[in-house]
Amino acid sequence: MGTSRHAIRLSGPADLADICRMVNHWITTSHVNFRTEPQEVGEWRALWEAGHEWYPWLVAVEPTGEVPTAGDGAERVVAACYAVPWSPRGAYARTVESVIYLRPEAHGTGLGRRLYELLLTMLEAQGYRAVHAGVAQPNPGSDGLHQRAGFEPVGVFTAAGFKNGEWRDVAYWRRSLGPGASEPPGELRSVAKVAADLGVPGAPTTPGAG
């Protein structure tokens, strides 16, 4: 894992089933996601469709070695990293929340760091000024990832959720982008424009990407 075998690119509709399965693993087996019921692919499609033009959605994929068929591609998602609005209120328009998930076997491979570095680079180039991230505790791996990515701890919501028989704290991290608060915000650039400038590949067209 984490070698040249893995490609990082923008996500597309054909990736959403893989992402859903990956996140459902953590929903059903851990406390890192505070949902208590598995998600449906349709929820992911709605979230992706609502945000991917202005908020980057990135995936790390590996080849499956199989010929693509209807509903299945020749790649498998092993990690996903994306941004969503921090709040729908207008004054928060330059602040986003970041999310990252990896398959269990991808932990410790460096894929998370690669994804996060690209996500932050794209967000900065788009004109966003701050990224927030919440990490359900304990999660030393995620805490370390955010620290290495330049985030700073800003506080802890104690006993914010009850899952798997225990009250869980949520630690919050913040990363400034670009000039931060030193000047007013400028115009936002779309994901497509920034991806083209940075040479970030788009999602391939597959029989299941309709």
Side-chain angles (χ1 to χ4, degrees):
M1 302 293 291
T3 68
S4 58
R5 171 179 170 82
H6 300 93
I8 292 178
R9 58 166 173 76
L10 297 177
S11 69
D15 300 315
L16 300 177
D18 270 357
I19 294 173
C20 184
R21 284 189 290 267
M22 178 171 60
V23 176
N24 280 346
H25 166 80
W26 297 112
I27 290 173
T28 58
T29 66
S30 78
H31 64 274
V32 301
N33 185 309
F34 273 11
R35 287 186 66 116
T36 55
E37 298 293 334
Q39 289 182 270
E40 300 291 337
V41 176
E43 296 178 67
W44 283 100
R45 181 178 292 274
L47 186 62
W48 180 85
E49 289 179 344
H52 76 279
E53 294 182 353
W54 293 99
Y55 301 91
W57 280 62
L58 299 168
V59 289
V61 297
E62 64 180 10
T64 63
E66 300 175 357
V67 176
T69 58
D72 290 293
E75 297 176 325
R76 180 180 74 151
V77 174
V78 297
C81 186
Y82 61 94
V84 295
W86 174 249
S87 169
R89 296 182 181 181
Y92 289 109
R94 300 304 189 276
T95 299
V96 304
E97 181 177 5
S98 59
V99 183
I100 185 166
Y101 286 100
L102 292 81
R103 291 176 62 92
E105 64 270 24
H107 283 244
T109 64
L111 280 176
R113 177 79 176 269
R114 288 172 58 196
L115 278 167
Y116 235 143
E117 287 177 350
L118 181 55
L119 180 76
L120 295 171
T121 297
M122 292 186 68
L123 289 168
E124 184 170 87
Q126 286 183 260
Y128 292 105
R129 297 295 181 85
V131 185
H132 297 173
V135 179
Q137 298 296 301
N139 193 337
S142 186
D143 289 339
L145 173 63
H146 286 87
Q147 186 175 34
R148 290 189 296 273
F151 285 74
E152 297 181 351
V154 293
V156 176
F157 289 169
T158 58
F162 188 82
K163 190 170 184 186
N164 294 347
E166 295 185 39
W167 286 103
R168 306 289 181 174
D169 298 345
V170 178
Y172 275 90
W173 297 79
R174 184 184 188 276
R175 161 78 185 262
S176 293
L177 298 174
S182 65
E183 59 185 58
E187 183 178 353
L188 284 177
R189 302 178 67 210
S190 70
V191 169
K193 289 181 179 179
V194 168
D197 287 349
L198 296 175
V200 180
T205 301
T206 70

